[in-house]
Amino acid sequence: MAEGAQLTQTGADQRYDVFHTDCPARDVVDHVTSRWGVWVLIALRNTDLRFYELRESIRGISEKMLAQTLRALVQDGLVWREVEPTTPPQVTYGLTEFGREVGEPLTELFDRITLRMAPRGEEQRPAR
């Protein structure tokens, strides 16, 4: 068992206890569900993007917050980063297999919300 990382045994599976404060899986969940982490994963769901393309596609995010969010998601193994040695360097980001797997339910949630919402100016009717 890793020091401070509480592991639980469930059958043949060994899983992290995300309710333990020192759990590394908890950090990943925090990064994915952060204000900007969700948007980065959704923005990268269909294509790889350069840093400036990501910044343009996610309205309201600062360069600093985008860089911090990407750094955390790369460190967690959800996003890959490729630097082309040009002047200035061109940096491209995309989802890893793990990132696509984690991002899938977020994309489904995003799609459900946007499909169910009434267009602006129209009243939302309760579902029956």
Side-chain angles (χ1 to χ4, degrees):
M1 187 179 310
E3 183 68 30
Q6 296 296 312
L7 293 172
T8 58
Q9 194 74 30
T10 56
D13 269 349
Q14 198 175 31
R15 302 175 64 137
Y16 285 104
D17 177 6
V18 294
F19 294 104
H20 191 277
T21 56
D22 293 335
C23 178
R26 187 174 183 155
D27 290 337
V28 175
V29 170
D30 287 344
H31 296 153
V32 168
T33 60
S34 71
R35 178 175 183 188
W36 300 113
V38 170
W39 296 113
V40 168
L41 293 175
I42 290 172
L44 293 172
R45 71 187 180 276
N46 294 323
T47 189
D48 305 335
L49 296 171
R50 292 198 173 132
F51 183 88
Y52 77 90
E53 293 171 321
L54 262 172
R55 190 186 68 226
E56 292 298 315
S57 68
I58 305 171
R59 298 267 168 32
I61 192 169
S62 68
E63 282 191 29
K64 178 183 176 182
M65 283 309 305
L66 179 57
Q68 287 177 357
T69 301
L70 286 167
R71 194 175 305 117
L73 295 174
V74 167
Q75 186 175 12
D76 293 339
L78 297 162
V79 172
W80 55 262
R81 177 182 189 264
E82 181 181 336
V83 180
E84 295 177 38
T86 59
T87 306
Q90 295 181 344
V91 184
T92 305
Y93 295 90
L95 294 180
T96 63
E97 183 179 337
F98 181 38
R100 283 189 297 278
E101 190 176 315
V102 169
E104 200 171 296
L106 297 174
T107 298
E108 288 178 23
L109 177 64
F110 175 79
D111 290 343
R112 285 180 186 206
I113 291 170
T114 56
L115 289 172
R116 293 281 300 183
M117 287 184 66
R120 287 186 184 254
E122 290 184 23
E123 187 177 318
Q124 184 75 30
R125 292 193 178 131
R128 294 182 183 210

